[in-house]
Amino acid sequence: MRASSCVRIEAPQSARVALLMDDYAHFLHNPTLLAERLSLLVEMHGRVVTSRWCDMTRQGEWGPLVEELLTQHYDPAYQRSSGASFTQLNNAKVLRFDSLDGETLRKAAEDLISNER
C-alpha cells in the first residue's frame, strides 16, 4: 500500500478553507469543543499560537482560523507524514481544481476509477 501510486489534489487555499469549514461544521457550532481540541496543540505550536487560535474560535473568525491551521499545522504535518510513508509520492498524478465541492470531487473519483480499469 505504501508503494502504491499516489494522487495529489491541488486547489486554491480559499477552496480548501471552504471544504474544511463544511466538513468540520460541527466545530463551528461548538466553539468550546474546538477550543478544547486546539489547546492540545500547545506542545507543538506553543501557548501564544494556540491561545490566538482559541481566541479566534471564540470570536467566530472561522476563515482566518482554518487558513492558519492549514498553513501552520495541517500542511506541515501532512508533508512530514506523507513523505515518509508513501514512496511514490514524488510521482503522484496531480489533479488541480478551482473548487472542492461535492460534485467536483465525485466526478474526479469517478474519472480515477474508470482510468484504473
Side-chain angles (χ1 to χ4, degrees):
M1 173 113 136
R2 292 178 188 261
S4 299
S5 61
C6 298
V7 175
R8 186 174 73 231
I9 296 175
E10 294 181 355
Q13 190 79 339
S14 59
R16 297 175 69 214
V17 168
L19 174 71
L20 290 176
M21 287 177 62
D22 186 52
D23 281 355
Y24 292 92
H26 59 284
F27 281 127
L28 306 184
H29 300 294
N30 192 345
T32 302
L33 176 61
L34 179 55
E36 287 172 8
R37 298 287 167 82
L38 292 172
S39 68
L40 299 174
L41 300 175
V42 168
E43 282 189 38
M44 292 179 80
H45 298 284
R47 191 161 310 283
V48 172
V49 170
T50 54
S51 292
R52 184 178 71 251
W53 290 344
C54 290
D55 289 343
M56 293 168 83
T57 297
R58 286 187 281 278
Q59 295 169 13
E61 296 176 7
W62 304 119
L65 172 64
V66 172
E67 190 166 340
E68 278 194 33
L69 288 170
L70 276 169
T71 59
Q72 295 179 30
H73 176 68
Y74 178 81
D75 287 348
Y78 185 80
Q79 287 173 351
R80 284 189 303 272
S81 172
S82 297
S85 299
F86 298 101
T87 60
Q88 295 300 312
L89 189 59
N90 289 335
N91 302 320
K93 178 178 181 172
V94 178
L95 303 177
R96 291 179 180 88
F97 301 114
D98 292 328
S99 171
L100 295 172
D101 61 273
E103 181 61 23
T104 299
L105 296 176
R106 184 192 63 73
K107 173 88 171 75
E110 287 176 356
D111 290 347
L112 285 169
I113 291 168
S114 68
N115 289 333
E116 289 294 317
R117 291 182 184 159

